[in-house]
Amino acid sequence: MVVRNKATIADVARVAGVSTATAGRVLGGYGYTSDEMKDQVQKAARQLGYRPNALARGLITGKTRTLGVVAGDIQNPFYASVLRGISNVAEADGFGLLITNSDESRSKEVQSVELLAQKQVDGLIVTPSDTRKARHLHNLLSMEIPLVLIDRAVAGLSVDRVAADNIAAGEQAVRHLFEAGHRRIGIIAELVEDEGDGLAAFLARAASGDPMEAEALYPSWQRLLGYVRAHRIAGVAVDPRLVFRAGSYSAEAAQVGVPLLLGLSDPPTALFTTDGTMSEGAMRAITALNLSIPRDLSLVCFDDLDWMSFMQPGISTMSQPRLAMGEAAARMLLERIQGENCPPRTVLLPAELISRGSVLRRVLDPAV
Amino acid sequence: MVVRNKATIADVARVAGVSTATAGRVLGGYGYTSDEMKDQVQKAARQLGYRPNALARGLITGKTRTLGVVAGDIQNPFYASVLRGISNVAEADGFGLLITNSDESRSKEVQSVELLAQKQVDGLIVTPSDTRKARHLHNLLSMEIPLVLIDRAVAGLSVDRVAADNIAAGEQAVRHLFEAGHRRIGIIAELVEDEGDGLAAFLARAASGDPMEAEALYPSWQRLLGYVRAHRIAGVAVDPRLVFRAGSYSAEAAQVGVPLLLGLSDPPTALFTTDGTMSEGAMRAITALNLSIPRDLSLVCFDDLDWMSFMQPGISTMSQPRLAMGEAAARMLLERIQGENCPPRTVLLPAELISRGSVLRRVLDPAV
DNA sequence: CTGAAAGCGCTTACAG
DNA sequence: CTGAAAGCGCTTACAG
């Protein structure tokens, strides 16, 4: 049972006194075999400690039962949860998971995709780092390797994807603040990439009600769009000075935004932070400034990170279903691998407002 | 360049007008070839969009350049960081990473190891869920598949491993509290598995200075051991009622410990929580009870989770080098794969005390 | 239902 | 330096 050198089907066949074809049939679970043969072969296999070689099987069947994932950074709670979701459904179907990090860099992503393709994964789940240039992803399609996108879309790449409904989420977060009586609401957003003609132009177009091509926007831009829409609904003009663009994806970059916004001559009474990392940065600044929430500042964050529920007071936030996003993506990918042939699907999962204690109800000044 | 059907070495050879052996030699980077041949073959390969099939290569070389990892739960920040560390070094060496979750269940771990072995990983990194029964891991050794353990050791399994120095860490955390003048220090620990004859016996043996077999203890028991040692050093007897055993690995289980300890007739003035999850549970309880830290209760946690640095006040904690643990494990595994043959190594990485604002300095009652 | 033979896409001795 | 041939460990038609 405990055997040093790995036994092959040929070894098992020899011991069982049958052909390799027959041994393969019972061990591989394909074709027909008599019960008698089955017993013999299984006994021999057990005796030799036979373990199928997935490489050989994959080489001949053209299927590896392995999924490839290109995540931004496993260490980030967003990706960690998404990965767990993917893992849950992959595992249930006996699929393995080959995981890489792109660190949101296009070149690392290209490298990852190449590695995974060489390892012959049956399909790929990617959070694309560039929503424009994605030849490596188009290549995948032309090689008929199924692909599912998470979190971001790629312009012109028509494939299955799952994301949070970011526009609606941004709108709901800010509407919540308006309903509590806030009128000057700051937003701290990543907004790394340029969308068109810069931030000012984007705000102007969005405020004018221009039905923009919002599908392929980066999530932070979509959430900003929701922020603008909530303003339109509330009949309040967007003040561009209240929009803080971190410009890089880090808590440190977000952190500097808080004092900047609060230093305005007419400072905001509330803040909306557009993702987990931005929220963390803002929180650091709030702690450093010794501000009391919600007395000095109201706050709605994004992503339900563990600390938000046990801060004092609890932090209200838009919770996106990270686990479910991963699960949905994996399920769609598995369907494609099994031959599903319908047109590309876009699954937008709603984020949920979790209302805790970080929003102050303001009595509106009747003069305003 | 963009090609529908995947080209093989045979295709490239045909186009280049050479033998498959020659094509293989230049594409695979082994053996000698003239520059002339090289050019021809590379041109043909580019033209056909040739991509090596790692399956075929792996089948023949017996090496897949893939590492397998069995983690407890990718979603847990501890594992997420460890995985990132592993990923960093694997990636630098061009290795792929096959990742599974065990959820700390032995049967899922056995299943994961089997899957990874079938996929012919070159080596495995495992956080064993059972430090006693590990036949599946012994099997790996007898098949000469390199194995590195993280966080936990397995009794009788002599392989490379890396972990935090948990005993020293526990001791330092509690000594820190003693030095601040605390005498009654509660501890909230997982302590899921039984170590020998139960908690009481363990405490008695530890307090007597018995040089225990501490190597194969679960981390939470080791940290408890450090707690006891700090008491011996301080000359304070351990009160078993101050030891809260969560008994399951969840924040909820830890959460019930805080009111229990504080409800004692002679309650603790300080708490030591022995890992990230226990810390989170304790924090939830502290928030629920509306306690002010450190006025009502002092606190030293374990693992430097992001929220600990921006709570108000900051939470003092023992920070274990999670990333470095993953990196060290991956490096050792790679060495073994490359043939390193030295005796099994144990790498104990020190945890670092990060002192923030959660410990109150107490003036000692001169009567005591 | 079973077996002999071919083949998946590579690499590896072995001649030349 | 190059090529013909064998083989890694399986599965898949094809006969019987």
Side-chain angles (χ1 to χ4, degrees):
Chain A
M1 216 132 151
V2 176
V3 179
R4 247 128 258 290
N5 17 25
K6 30 219 118 189
T8 70
I9 278 209
D11 298 327
V12 174
R14 202 174 308 119
V15 169
V18 300
S19 70
T20 62
T22 299
R25 278 192 270 257
V26 0
L27 263 16
Y30 49 88
Y32 301 91
T33 36
S34 62
D35 289 351
E36 197 188 357
M37 291 276 146
K38 248 178 214 144
D39 286 349
Q40 280 177 68
V41 172
Q42 277 161 350
K43 216 186 81 194
R46 223 172 306 125
Q47 181 186 320
L48 294 173
Y50 171 75
R51 167 148 52 207
N53 183 326
L55 254 38
R57 187 175 290 177
L59 185 56
I60 203 151
T61 61
K63 260 88 197 57
T64 53
R65 297 189 74 77
T66 301
L67 268 29
V69 183
V70 184
D73 174 12
I74 335 178
Q75 225 182 329
N76 180 309
F78 173 75
Y79 290 108
S81 292
V82 168
L83 281 170
R84 190 42 146 117
I86 295 171
S87 171
N88 286 161
V89 350
E91 192 187 295
D93 275 41
F95 274 70
L97 224 54
L98 230 21
I99 296 178
T100 62
N101 299 99
S102 74
D103 291 318
E104 314 292 353
S105 130
R106 212 187 83 88
S107 69
K108 290 193 72 177
E109 178 182 313
V110 170
Q111 223 175 295
S112 287
V113 168
E114 181 59 29
L115 179 79
L116 298 173
Q118 289 191 7
K119 291 199 187 291
Q120 312 295 122
V121 294
D122 291 339
L124 272 162
I125 297 179
V126 177
T127 51
S129 52
D130 192 315
T131 62
R132 299 285 145 75
K133 291 183 298 180
R135 222 196 27 210
H136 57 301
L137 299 181
H138 280 101
N139 272 349
L140 247 30
L141 285 205
S142 72
M143 319 234 16
E144 294 185 335
I145 301 177
L147 169 65
V148 174
L149 265 28
I150 290 195
D151 196 40
R152 277 93 81 168
V154 170
L157 184 66
S158 176
V159 294
D160 287 343
R161 70 181 195 93
V162 18
D165 189 343
N166 292 309
I167 302 176
E171 183 184 316
Q172 192 180 352
V174 177
R175 213 172 47 202
H176 179 64
L177 288 166
F178 275 121
E179 284 163 2
H182 294 271
R183 285 298 171 269
R184 291 190 62 74
I185 300 166
I187 178 172
I188 295 191
E190 170 191 351
L191 304 175
V192 175
E193 291 75 14
D194 253 317
E195 291 295 347
D197 317 312
L199 181 57
F202 179 90
L203 288 174
R205 283 187 58 199
S208 76
D210 185 342
M212 310 171 66
E213 236 342 308
E215 269 273 294
L217 248 35
Y218 282 86
S220 65
W221 288 92
Q222 292 181 328
R223 293 168 195 171
L224 173 60
L225 190 53
Y227 168 91
V228 175
R229 292 202 181 165
H231 277 74
R232 294 217 322 137
I233 292 167
V236 174
V238 169
D239 179 351
R241 293 177 308 153
L242 291 180
V243 178
F244 178 76
R245 181 178 189 175
S248 89
Y249 188 58
S250 73
E252 289 67 36
Q255 195 169 346
V256 303
V258 177
L260 239 51
L261 290 175
L262 294 181
L264 253 33
S265 56
D266 193 1
T269 59
L271 235 49
F272 170 46
T273 54
T274 61
D275 75 19
T277 300
M278 297 297 111
S279 300
E280 193 184 317
M283 210 57 221
R284 287 189 190 285
I286 286 166
T287 299
L289 293 165
N290 227 311
L291 298 176
S292 163
I293 287 183
R295 203 194 56 205
D296 302 332
L297 186 67
S298 289
L299 184 64
V300 175
C301 289
F302 209 100
D303 262 332
D304 192 21
L305 302 179
D306 47 13
W307 51 269
M308 294 179 183
S309 59
F310 59 79
M311 296 286 292
Q312 225 155 0
I315 306 296
S316 300
T317 194
M318 296 304 305
S319 169
Q320 61 178 329
R322 300 177 286 178
L323 213 68
M325 287 167 66
E327 288 172 348
R331 229 174 279 119
M332 291 207 294
L333 184 57
L334 253 19
E335 284 169 17
R336 292 293 179 190
I337 288 170
Q338 280 142 27
E340 174 62 61
N341 205 22
C342 63
R345 298 161 285 187
T346 294
V347 175
L348 251 38
L349 264 23
E352 182 197 357
L353 171 64
I354 300 185
S355 186
R356 293 195 267 242
S358 61
V359 175
L360 185 74
R361 291 207 72 83
R362 282 167 60 89
V363 181
L364 285 178
D365 181 347
V368 176
Chain B
M1 216 132 152
V2 177
V3 177
R4 247 130 259 290
N5 19 23
K6 31 219 117 189
T8 69
I9 278 209
D11 299 327
V12 174
R14 202 174 307 118
V15 170
V18 300
S19 70
T20 62
T22 299
R25 278 192 269 259
V26 0
L27 264 16
Y30 49 87
Y32 302 92
T33 36
S34 63
D35 289 351
E36 197 188 356
M37 290 277 147
K38 249 178 211 145
D39 286 349
Q40 279 178 67
V41 172
Q42 277 161 352
K43 218 186 79 194
R46 224 173 304 124
Q47 182 186 318
L48 294 174
Y50 171 75
R51 168 148 52 209
N53 182 326
L55 254 38
R57 186 175 290 176
L59 185 56
I60 203 151
T61 61
K63 261 88 198 56
T64 52
R65 298 189 74 78
T66 301
L67 268 29
V69 183
V70 183
D73 175 12
I74 335 179
Q75 225 181 328
N76 179 309
F78 173 74
Y79 290 108
S81 293
V82 167
L83 281 169
R84 190 41 145 118
I86 295 171
S87 172
N88 285 161
V89 350
E91 192 187 296
D93 275 41
F95 274 71
L97 224 54
L98 229 21
I99 295 178
T100 63
N101 298 98
S102 74
D103 291 318
E104 315 293 352
S105 127
R106 212 187 83 88
S107 69
K108 290 191 72 176
E109 180 183 313
V110 170
Q111 222 175 294
S112 288
V113 168
E114 181 58 30
L115 179 81
L116 298 173
Q118 289 191 7
K119 293 199 186 292
Q120 313 295 121
V121 295
D122 291 339
L124 272 163
I125 297 179
V126 177
T127 51
S129 52
D130 191 314
T131 62
R132 300 285 146 74
K133 292 184 295 178
R135 223 197 27 213
H136 57 303
L137 300 181
H138 280 102
N139 272 348
L140 247 31
L141 285 207
S142 72
M143 320 234 17
E144 294 184 335
I145 301 176
L147 168 66
V148 175
L149 265 27
I150 291 195
D151 196 41
R152 276 95 79 168
V154 170
L157 186 66
S158 175
V159 295
D160 286 343
R161 71 183 196 92
V162 18
D165 189 343
N166 292 310
I167 303 177
E171 184 185 315
Q172 191 180 354
V174 177
R175 214 172 47 203
H176 179 64
L177 288 166
F178 275 121
E179 284 163 1
H182 295 270
R183 285 297 171 269
R184 290 191 60 74
I185 301 166
I187 178 171
I188 295 189
E190 171 191 349
L191 305 176
V192 175
E193 291 75 12
D194 252 317
E195 291 295 345
D197 317 312
L199 180 56
F202 179 89
L203 289 175
R205 282 187 59 199
S208 74
D210 185 343
M212 310 173 65
E213 240 337 313
E215 270 273 293
L217 249 36
Y218 283 86
S220 64
W221 288 93
Q222 293 182 327
R223 292 168 197 170
L224 174 59
L225 191 51
Y227 168 90
V228 175
R229 291 200 182 168
H231 277 73
R232 294 215 323 136
I233 293 168
V236 173
V238 169
D239 180 350
R241 293 177 308 153
L242 292 180
V243 178
F244 178 77
R245 181 179 188 172
S248 90
Y249 189 57
S250 74
E252 289 67 36
Q255 195 169 346
V256 302
V258 177
L260 238 50
L261 290 175
L262 294 181
L264 253 31
S265 54
D266 192 2
T269 58
L271 235 49
F272 170 44
T273 54
T274 61
D275 75 19
T277 301
M278 297 296 111
S279 300
E280 192 184 317
M283 211 58 222
R284 288 189 189 284
I286 286 166
T287 299
L289 293 167
N290 228 311
L291 298 177
S292 162
I293 288 183
R295 202 194 54 205
D296 301 333
L297 185 67
S298 289
L299 184 63
V300 175
C301 289
F302 210 100
D303 261 332
D304 192 20
L305 302 180
D306 48 13
W307 52 267
M308 295 180 183
S309 60
F310 59 80
M311 295 288 289
Q312 227 155 358
I315 305 295
S316 300
T317 194
M318 296 305 306
S319 169
Q320 61 179 328
R322 300 177 286 179
L323 212 70
M325 287 167 66
E327 287 172 349
R331 229 174 278 118
M332 291 208 292
L333 184 57
L334 252 21
E335 285 169 16
R336 292 292 179 191
I337 289 170
Q338 279 141 29
E340 173 62 60
N341 205 22
C342 62
R345 299 160 285 187
T346 294
V347 175
L348 250 37
L349 265 24
E352 183 197 356
L353 171 65
I354 300 185
S355 186
R356 294 194 267 241
S358 62
V359 175
L360 184 73
R361 291 206 71 82
R362 281 166 61 89
V363 180
L364 286 179
D365 182 344
V368 176

